[in-house]
Amino acid sequence: VDLIVVDEFARPFPNAAVTGYLRGNGSGAFRGTTDGLGHLIVRYQQPGPWRIEASSDVEGFKGRIDVSLEASDEPVLHQIIIR
């Protein structure tokens, strides 16, 4: 999973806490923190429907997306807008 977290003005959001979990049948979860450019790569996640949430305790911002991950060699960039 290739993620970028941005604010409502499309500015990268550093140090956002990111969590994700596999929805439906199956189990899978991850946690991470965006880098200084709002970017996070999470490797080796199962294909299927995922809910991914990002938040910042400092500003109180939150955002989430639902994505369907496919088995692929090409990473797809997913954007989460937090407000």
Side-chain angles (χ1 to χ4, degrees):
V1 181
D2 193 359
L3 300 166
I4 186 162
V5 177
V6 297
D7 67 13
E8 60 189 326
F9 301 106
R11 296 179 297 210
F13 204 96
N15 302 316
V18 179
T19 59
Y21 63 90
L22 186 61
R23 300 175 69 190
N25 296 333
S27 62
F30 67 85
R31 292 179 188 265
T33 303
T34 59
D35 64 15
L37 299 175
H39 192 242
L40 174 67
I41 295 176
V42 181
R43 301 198 188 283
Y44 312 115
Q45 298 305 310
Q46 292 185 49
W50 284 80
R51 168 149 302 158
I52 304 172
E53 300 173 342
S55 64
S56 169
D57 290 338
V58 175
E59 284 85 2
F61 294 159
K62 294 181 180 182
R64 75 175 188 210
I65 58 172
D66 292 321
V67 297
S68 181
L69 299 181
E70 305 287 331
S72 169
D73 292 335
E74 298 290 325
V76 175
L77 181 64
H78 298 282
Q79 177 176 283
I80 302 175
I81 300 171
I82 61 175
R83 302 184 170 113

